[in-house]
């Protein structure tokens, strides 16, 4: 239970898991009053992420129950603090994973606050006042304005919600590897799910040749015909994998299931880079020879800074990039989580928070 503090007087309705069953039920709790650095957001939509699934079931052993998940949040600002000059009431706002950082370390000062040692998340984190944070499966959110971004007017709010996690997770490594400033590179995307499908859209928007690498033959048609991917490699087909050796400049691995990196690395050209953004709960096999004989690099990436997230949202506004979604009501959250565990969604579930008559 969140620590009670003097300014936590706002009663908010939401949806929470209370134990490792992961079952989501209506939950009424307290949020802080809007402070001088805060904005209050009426939540319209909240995406459902694989991270939510892990947290509600305590798969990582770090869940503080009751947990109100949700870090792909969009809504309308209803109140602003006296120190806030960059937002006003009525603005379309988005909130991703970050709720607080130290603001003083080298990473915070360099605009990489997502790598701060003291980073705290929008849910299941500890805020500056000592309270446990509650996420976007709720009717409203109070958040420090330094962790809020503006949602472009031309983007549909429901389809924009997953950009706050899935979008920035794939945008950041593309930017870090100079793929937003060049064209004509050959990039591979491992996995065609919530992350992978957005990565395809970014890759094509910036003029690259995009290849989907998947274990599912059925994904080829949708990759090419629905998302515009240029090529498809069935990773279980050894002949296909061999024929595509040393053909890719860059690979983004979005898969959260345990798998070996060796065969994927062989697809990279000499000096190629593989970036991991999926988070398997067990170690992945990383053989040395594909690294040594290809002078290849393997690295990871975690979401992005707030500035980077705003840049990403602006890029999405310019290119009209949103996520392919299935909207669910709040009384369908448990069903959506069950389907997500089976990868039965194209490509992201989004909860219609404000428009649902079944709100508690």
């Amino acid at each position: 239970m969140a620590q009670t503090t003097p300014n936590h007087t706002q009663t908010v309705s939401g949806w929470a898991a209370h134990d490792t069953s992961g079952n989501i039920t209506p939950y009424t709790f307290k949020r802080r009053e809007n402070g001088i650095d805060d904005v209050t957001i009426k939540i319209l939509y909240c995406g459902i992420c694989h991270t939510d699934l892990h947290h509600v079931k305590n798969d990582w052993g770090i869940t503080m129950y009751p947990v109100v998940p949700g870090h792909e949040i969009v809504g309308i600002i209803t109140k602003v603090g006296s120190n806030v000059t960059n937002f006003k009431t009525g603005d379309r706002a988005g909130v991703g994973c970050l709720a607080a950082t130290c603001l003083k370390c080298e990473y915070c000062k360099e605009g990489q606050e997502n790598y701060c040692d003291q980073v705290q998340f929008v849910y299941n984190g500890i805020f500056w006042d000592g309270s446990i944070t509650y996420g976007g499966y709720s009717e409203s959110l109070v958040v420090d304005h330094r962790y809020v971004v503006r949602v472009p007017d031309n983007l549909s709010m429901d389809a924009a919600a997953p950009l706050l996690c899935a979008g920035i997770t794939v945008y950041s490594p593309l930017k870090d590897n100079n793929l937003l400033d060049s064209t004509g590179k050959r990039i591979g995307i491992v996995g065609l799910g919530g992350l992978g499908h957005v990565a395809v859209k970014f890759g094509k928007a910036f003029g690259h040749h995009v290849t989907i690498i998947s274990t599912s033959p059925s994904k080829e048609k949708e990759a090419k015909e629905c998302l515009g991917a240029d090529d498809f490699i069935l990773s279980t087909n050894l002949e296909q994998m061999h024929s595509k050796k040393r053909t890719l400049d860059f690979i983004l691995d979005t898969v959260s299931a345990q798998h070996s990196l060796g065969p994927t690395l062989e697809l990279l050209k000499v000096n190629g880079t593989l970036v991991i953004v999926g988070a398997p709960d067990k170690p992945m096999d990383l053989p040395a020879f594909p690294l040594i004989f290809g002078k290849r690099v393997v690295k990871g990436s975690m979401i992005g800074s707030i500035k980077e997230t705003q840049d990403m949202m602006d890029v999405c506004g310019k290119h009209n990039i949103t996520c392919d979604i299935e909207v669910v009501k709040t009384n369908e959250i448990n069903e959506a989580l069950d389907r997500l565990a089976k990868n039965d969604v194209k490509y992201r579930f989004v909860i219609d928070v404000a428009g649902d008559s079944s709100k508690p």
Side-chain angles (χ1 to χ4, degrees):
M1 184 68 69
Q3 177 179 335
T4 301
T5 54
N7 66 338
H8 281 234
T9 57
Q10 289 195 71
T11 300
V12 176
S13 295
W15 297 266
H18 293 263
D19 54 47
T20 56
S21 71
N23 187 51
I24 301 290
T25 57
Y27 177 56
T28 301
F29 60 96
K30 299 288 187 180
R31 290 205 187 275
R32 69 180 185 274
E33 290 298 322
N34 198 90
I36 59 174
D37 292 314
D38 292 330
V39 299
T40 297
I41 299 172
K42 174 182 171 57
I43 297 174
L44 301 182
Y45 298 97
C46 183
I48 298 179
C49 178
H50 258 286
T51 302
D52 301 347
L53 190 60
H54 290 304
H55 272 99
V56 299
K57 293 182 176 295
N58 196 25
D59 289 340
W60 295 331
I62 59 173
T63 302
M64 297 176 282
Y65 292 107
V67 60
V68 177
H71 58 209
E72 298 178 339
I73 304 162
V74 293
I76 303 297
I77 292 178
T78 59
K79 184 180 281 190
V80 298
S82 57
N83 285 351
V84 179
T85 59
N86 54 333
F87 293 102
K88 63 182 185 305
T89 57
D91 281 350
R92 292 156 51 99
V95 177
C97 300
L98 303 183
T101 57
C102 78
L103 302 176
K104 299 175 183 179
C105 70
E106 61 178 303
Y107 305 108
C108 286
K109 290 179 179 179
E110 292 173 356
Q112 298 187 81
E113 65 274 9
N114 48 308
Y115 294 106
C116 174
D117 282 342
Q118 298 180 44
V119 65
Q120 298 295 330
F121 298 111
V122 161
Y123 71 86
N124 204 60
I126 307 294
F127 193 62
W128 290 318
D129 64 7
S131 62
I132 295 174
T133 56
Y134 292 128
Y137 292 17
S138 59
E139 64 182 5
S140 67
L141 179 71
V142 180
V143 59
D144 188 292
H145 73 100
R146 288 166 287 196
Y147 304 94
V148 180
V149 298
R150 194 179 309 275
V151 179
D153 291 339
N154 64 306
L155 297 183
S156 173
M157 291 287 268
D158 53 359
L163 294 173
L164 276 305
C165 177
I168 186 58
T169 296
V170 298
Y171 177 89
S172 182
L174 292 175
K175 181 180 178 182
D176 285 347
N177 289 275
N178 302 314
L179 292 168
L180 306 185
D181 302 317
S182 61
T183 60
K185 295 293 185 180
R186 302 181 71 88
I187 68 175
I189 310 296
V190 184
L192 188 61
L195 299 179
H197 91 285
V198 187
V200 174
K201 294 184 180 186
F202 281 133
K204 295 305 298 179
F206 287 95
H208 300 299
H209 183 282
V210 179
T211 297
I212 289 294
I213 304 157
S214 174
T215 60
S216 304
S218 61
K219 295 287 182 76
E220 181 170 6
K221 183 176 180 180
E222 63 190 75
K224 293 180 177 178
E225 296 182 8
C226 300
L227 295 170
D230 301 286
D231 200 1
F232 182 90
I233 301 174
L234 184 64
S235 58
T236 55
N237 186 315
L238 298 182
E239 184 178 340
Q240 279 190 32
M241 291 290 284
H242 182 76
S243 70
K244 299 294 183 177
K245 279 188 175 183
R246 295 196 173 191
T247 61
L248 302 176
D249 299 291
F250 173 88
I251 296 176
L252 186 66
D253 189 336
T254 71
V255 174
S256 58
Q258 185 183 21
H259 58 289
S260 175
L261 299 178
T264 305
L265 283 168
E266 296 284 11
L267 299 173
L268 285 170
K269 297 178 183 178
V270 173
N271 282 319
T273 298
L274 169 64
V275 177
I276 298 167
V277 293
D281 56 4
K282 295 180 181 178
M284 292 182 287
D285 179 48
L286 178 58
F289 285 158
L291 292 177
I292 296 170
F293 285 90
K295 201 179 180 182
R296 298 172 177 116
V297 173
V298 177
K299 59 183 180 178
S301 180
M302 184 188 89
I303 53 172
S305 69
I306 297 303
K307 181 184 183 304
E308 210 167 40
T309 304
Q310 185 64 70
D311 290 345
M312 182 267 305
M313 295 299 290
D314 294 340
V315 164
C316 289
K318 179 180 178 181
H319 294 278
N320 198 29
I321 294 173
T322 54
C323 298
D324 294 1
I325 62 168
E326 181 177 337
V327 178
V328 297
K329 297 178 181 179
T330 55
N331 60 5
E332 298 172 320
I333 293 174
N334 288 309
E335 178 186 351
L337 287 170
D338 288 342
R339 286 179 54 194
L340 179 60
K342 301 171 185 175
N343 294 317
D344 178 22
V345 57
K346 292 183 181 178
Y347 289 96
R348 207 72 161 182
F349 285 117
V350 173
I351 306 166
D352 180 1
V353 176
D356 187 10
S357 60
S358 71
K359 287 194 302 180

